[in-house]
Amino acid sequence: MTFKVIVKGKASGKIMKTDIPINFLGAVDKKTGIIHDTKHDLVGKSIKDSILVFPYGVGSSVGAYTIYSLKSSKSAPLAMICAKADLSVASGCALANIPMVIATEFDKLEDGKEITLDTESDKLIIFRE
Amino acid sequence: MELTKEEESALKGEHGETMETAYRILVAIGEATNAEKLVPIKWAHLSGVNYNTIGDAGEEFLSKLSQDAKVKVMTTLNPMGFDFDSVSKYNLDKNFIEKQQSIKESYEKMGVIPSFSCIPYEIFDLPEKGTQVSFAESNAAIYANSIAHLKTNKESAFSALASALTGKTPYSDLRINDSPNLTIKMKIDEPNELAFGMLGYFAGKVADNSVTISGVSEMNKRSCKSLCGGMGTSGRCGKFFLGEGKENAEKIDFDKKEMQNIYDELNTSDHGDIITLGSPQLGLEEIADLSSMLKGRSFEKRCMVFCPRVVQEQARKIGYTNELERAGCEILSDCCTCLTPLVDKNEIDSVTTNSIKGAYYLKNSNGVDVNLKSLSQIIQDETK
């Protein structure tokens, strides 16, 4: 699978995937990482320490601060993989040093799979369970 | 992305930590949007001011940043959490006030104009058409592109801040190409500002970064701002055109069914304990309008009216504020409906508003129920 690097880094963890865009300011608790938007399919789940796979960020420009706050409270995802780029997620990850890539084959990423993302080696390794 | 020698050395940290951070953000968003170079901007408008939204991590970040950072271009600011003039009347905790004060001081120290407004396009002189700016507030970015003929992407809080500190932005997306591949036909007859807000919210969900809206011949200021606010809330779309659009563009309708779906998503109550007007904040024209609608009438419950400080001062001179206060309005500046701690779910269960943007954040962030009504309906139902 190929991907475009937006923020460099390396991370290993379990994919938490949604096909619904995320409004970080409106939908994510900045201290715990729990999604509290009742209209979102990840409602009640924490994105902490996951490899968060989602289409793109939407909504308020302040969502970038939410990403930075998640990192400061140690509740951030280990990495983020998106289908499309958006400025809030890209800039939030850049400031918080959270590895972030755009995947060309977004549909092939499956929820619950263990993966290793390493932007230096240009590889996204997916381990089958 | 190609960087000049100077930009390259700033990215390596040779011009200090602040510049390194700013360029790291610019490079990330440049990569994200396939930019080939950075271009200069003339005006940055920052979000990330309200302590409710940026929290302790944001407050600490800005406090540290402001020790040596200075903005390089004209930079204006979004609303904060409350109005310092009236905060003592509210039951707000001391920590919030102190942290908000610190955030305010950090921005002032960096040379930012303390405008605390989400409608910079109504209170500052606009630069000439085609000027590159960086607006983080989504309704302001959409208004700047669509109505004021300026050029900005729908910036994030950090991308606009990085642009303020460097005077530059990646040359990409709406700055280069804004030709929409989608046309939405507005099929609602005699739409009020609530219908336009829902149209915007719908468009944000279905459009990519720009959209054409057909079937709209004219819009007043209130409807136009409501459209921009709604659009900015739900998606990534940063510009609209009024007209028929390209022949080969995808076409969808915004009719009663689509509008009802949005209404059902955002309207969660059949009444409000209080009323809020603003989000976006009201400009002078809307304040004038409101004061004439309220002639001889008074609100039967609390009604909070949000407008920029400079608008309140002008309205006071003209006498509009007397009329509003007589009718029972609380006029608040430097803050807005969205995410103000003045709307507290421990004291209030539901809010009546005509703002689609306000409705989304009241529900999802303040945690209160929302009763959506147009302004004329609010005046009819809630005043005597």
Side-chain angles (χ1 to χ4, degrees), chain B residues 64-79:
Chain B
K64 184 163 172 279
L65 186 71
S66 68
Q67 284 170 14
D68 68 345
K70 288 276 179 289
V71 296
K72 283 214 171 80
V73 291
M74 168 174 161
T75 304
T76 51
L77 267 192
N78 242 12

Side-chain angles (χ1 to χ4, degrees), chain A residues 22 31 35 46 61 67 76 79 81 86-88 99-100 119 125:
Chain A
I22 298 178
K31 289 225 165 94
I35 307 253
S46 172
S61 58
I67 293 171
I81 304 177
D86 84 276
L87 300 186
S88 279
M100 193 226 154
T119 63
I125 305 158

Side-chain angles (χ1 to χ4, degrees), chain B residues 111-308:
Chain B
V112 177
I113 300 167
S115 51
F116 303 115
S117 169
C118 50
I119 54 164
Y121 48 81
E122 274 194 270
I123 60 171
F124 290 97
D125 290 335
L126 296 174
E128 61 182 277
K129 284 182 183 181
T131 301
Q132 298 281 349
V133 300
S134 281
F135 280 12
E137 162 57 37
S138 57
N139 100 81
I142 294 167
Y143 191 100
N145 279 326
S146 314
I147 308 293
H149 305 289
L150 304 177
K151 288 198 171 291
T152 179
N153 282 323
K154 194 169 172 260
E155 300 295 335
S156 82
F158 292 146
S159 70
L161 179 60
S163 288
L165 295 171
T166 59
K168 291 174 186 181
T169 185
Y171 188 54
S172 58
D173 287 358
L174 289 175
R175 299 183 185 281
I176 305 173
N177 178 21
D178 53 17
S179 168
N181 291 315
L182 175 72
T183 303
I184 299 176
K185 187 166 177 61
M186 175 63 159
K187 298 192 81 171
I188 307 294
D189 290 332
E190 295 179 32
N192 55 29
E193 80 282 4
L194 196 56
F196 275 110
M198 289 191 272
L199 168 67
Y201 193 79
F202 176 78
K205 284 189 175 196
V206 294
D208 196 35
N209 64 4
S210 66
V211 66
T212 305
I213 293 170
S214 68
V216 174
S217 50
E218 57 177 17
M219 249 186 307
N220 62 22
K221 196 56 149 297
R222 190 188 310 137
S223 291
C224 180
K225 287 165 70 179
S226 182
L227 175 69
C228 294
M231 188 179 284
T233 304
S234 60
R236 60 205 298 277
C237 185
K239 180 168 187 171
F240 67 85
F241 294 83
L242 296 181
E244 291 308 312
K246 287 189 294 197
E247 249 178 52
N248 59 353
E250 188 192 342
K251 290 182 175 59
I252 48 175
D253 288 346
F254 181 75
D255 210 336
K256 290 195 184 93
K257 192 182 104 202
E258 287 76 19
M259 189 161 85
Q260 189 65 42
N261 285 343
I262 304 281
Y263 182 83
D264 292 342
E265 180 186 334
L266 297 172
N267 181 80
T268 56
S269 175
D270 58 5
H271 83 288
D273 295 338
I274 64 163
I275 300 156
T276 69
L277 300 176
S279 188
Q281 289 172 330
L282 275 57
L284 193 61
E285 197 180 319
E286 290 164 278
I287 293 280
D289 216 17
L290 182 62
S291 79
S292 72
M293 289 168 95
L294 285 170
K295 279 248 154 59
R297 308 182 77 97
S298 289
F299 279 103
E300 294 179 292
K301 55 179 77 153
R302 271 178 71 197
C303 175
M304 300 165 92
V305 176
F306 297 94
C307 66

Side-chain angles (χ1 to χ4, degrees), chain A residues 4-7 23 25-26 30-31 36-37 39 56 58-62 64-65 68-69 72 84-85 87-88 90-92 94-95 97, chain B residues 21 24-25 28-29 31-34 47-48 52-55 57 61-62 107 136 154-158 208 233 235-236 339 360-361 364:
Chain A
K4 182 171 188 191
V5 180
I6 306 301
V7 181
N23 182 327
L25 178 64
K30 59 181 176 284
K31 289 225 165 94
H36 54 63
D37 179 352
K39 293 262 160 36
Y56 49 86
V58 290
S60 173
S61 58
V62 192
Y65 270 97
Y68 180 75
S69 294
S72 302
K84 274 191 219 173
L87 300 186
S88 279
S91 64
L95 189 65
N97 273 319
Chain B
T21 305
R24 196 168 79 228
I25 293 168
I29 59 168
E31 290 299 331
T33 55
N34 301 314
S47 62
N52 236 359
T53 63
I54 70 169
F61 165 73
L62 289 170
Y107 279 120
K154 194 169 172 260
E155 300 295 335
S156 82
F158 292 146
D208 196 35
T233 304
R236 60 205 298 277
L339 294 131
Y360 179 89
Y361 288 106
N364 287 298

